[in-house]
Amino acid sequence: MVSTDTRKKYEKLQAILSSMGSVVVGFSGGVDSTFLTCAAHQALGNKVLAVTAVSATLPGSEAADATAMAEFIGVEHRLVNSTEFEDQKFVDNPPERCYYCKKIRFTALVNLAKAEGYQWVIDGGNVDDLGDYRPGMKALEELSDAVRSPMIEAGLNKADIRALSKEFGLQTWNKQSAACLASRVPYGVRLTPHLLAQIDAAEAAVAPYVQGSLRVRYHGDVARIEVGLDEIPSVLAHREEIVRAIKDTGFSYVTLDLGGYEMGSLNDVIDTDEEVK
């Protein structure tokens, strides 16, 4: 059941989107961007273009999921190759890695929007993102003359988005966060497409045995599995096949984090109050 407060926020979102005239949506196919794309389509009809950036950072199933959701919504959709691996600052994987990636991707979307006559580029950020370490938000601020985050403007949080997504029949309403594969790699470890493909394959080996959040964190020869505390018994019950499959991807050792899944756990080692330079 959607609360009155949530519905008022949605009405505000619709007013914001309608005032934009036409938009390009940065569309990952996750909970937030799918809901935003649906809302934009409701407000603007065929004046919406959803664009999914494809690179080695995208988990293997996500491009197909995005394509399927765009078709369900009825919005025009494109897959475009992203170029962050051409930027050495991104490849070096500093704590502000997301800033460089976001700046590259959304600059490309701004250029596309200008070339094809769309008035705005929009991002799927919500108010919960404001309380986390997200250097990518700085990139959006620098592009604020062309890029907006309408769900933040409307005051929508993750719970609002999930509730509304369920009401609208979007299958993503209870989808777990997929996140960029680079988020599994400790800062300072050089990123390569091969390394990210190894992580993706390792997660695919565990995925059949868990229902909730899953991460395989990269620590050189060690794969560290993070799942919800209630999922640990299932992982242990299938320990032999999981270990065998993960070792087949190239890891020498497999560990299970007894602390359970923690969003952004690799951020624990950095000073998140430091400004992106």
Side-chain angles (χ1 to χ4, degrees):
M1 185 70 177
V2 176
S3 70
T4 300
D5 180 59
T6 297
R7 198 158 315 271
K8 287 181 179 178
K9 293 177 187 178
Y10 181 69
E11 291 170 358
K12 184 175 180 180
L13 175 66
Q14 284 288 293
I16 291 168
L17 291 168
S18 295
S19 72
M20 290 183 173
S22 59
V23 297
V24 172
V25 188
F27 180 59
S28 69
V31 179
D32 299 331
S33 66
T34 295
F35 172 73
L36 179 60
T37 300
C38 179
H41 184 59
Q42 291 181 5
L44 297 169
N46 62 5
K47 297 178 182 178
V48 178
L49 172 63
V51 178
T52 302
V54 179
S55 82
T57 64
L58 187 70
S61 62
E62 291 300 294
D65 287 353
T67 299
M69 288 310 304
E71 183 176 350
F72 175 81
I73 294 168
V75 69
E76 183 180 354
H77 179 229
R78 293 185 202 169
L79 299 172
V80 299
N81 291 324
S82 187
T83 61
E84 61 267 20
F85 276 93
E86 297 176 11
D87 188 325
Q88 191 61 42
K89 293 189 292 293
F90 170 81
V91 171
D92 287 343
N93 192 22
E96 61 272 19
R97 174 197 66 230
C98 292
Y99 165 80
Y100 298 118
C101 182
K102 202 96 167 182
K103 190 67 175 286
I104 290 166
R105 291 187 174 190
F106 274 82
T107 296
L109 290 182
V110 168
N111 291 338
L112 185 155
K114 289 179 178 177
E116 301 197 14
Y118 291 89
Q119 293 179 252
W120 289 96
V121 173
I122 57 176
D123 160 72
N126 67 76
V127 296
D128 290 344
D129 295 330
L130 302 177
D132 193 11
Y133 176 65
R134 294 184 182 266
M137 299 294 287
K138 180 176 175 62
L140 298 184
E141 290 171 9
E142 293 175 357
L143 296 168
S144 61
D145 59 337
V147 181
R148 291 169 65 179
S149 300
M151 295 196 296
I152 291 178
E153 294 178 31
L156 286 155
N157 60 34
K158 196 77 164 190
D160 295 324
I161 292 166
R162 289 192 184 278
L164 289 163
S165 295
K166 185 176 184 180
E167 181 174 271
F168 295 162
L170 298 175
Q171 296 176 1
T172 50
W173 74 270
N174 63 347
K175 184 177 181 178
Q176 298 296 326
S177 172
C180 160
L181 288 169
S183 67
R184 281 69 155 169
V185 183
Y187 297 117
V189 176
R190 187 173 183 272
L191 299 174
T192 68
H194 174 76
L195 185 156
L196 298 187
Q198 180 185 5
I199 294 168
D200 195 25
E203 290 191 353
V206 186
Y209 309 109
V210 299
Q211 301 298 315
S213 297
L214 162 66
R215 298 289 185 269
V216 173
R217 309 290 187 187
Y218 175 90
H219 298 281
D221 288 339
V222 179
R224 176 168 60 89
I225 301 169
E226 288 185 13
V227 296
L229 293 177
D230 59 336
E231 303 271 20
I232 288 177
S234 179
V235 173
L236 292 175
H238 298 90
R239 177 182 61 82
E240 291 185 3
E241 49 263 56
I242 288 173
V243 169
R244 186 183 311 114
I246 291 181
K247 285 187 174 182
D248 284 345
T249 72
F251 287 102
S252 298
Y253 308 100
V254 181
T255 68
L256 176 63
D257 194 320
L258 298 182
Y261 167 73
E262 179 187 349
M263 183 177 67
S265 63
L266 293 177
N267 289 336
D268 291 347
V269 300
I270 63 172
D271 179 3
T272 58
D273 292 329
E274 184 177 341
E275 289 286 330
V276 177
K277 304 300 184 185

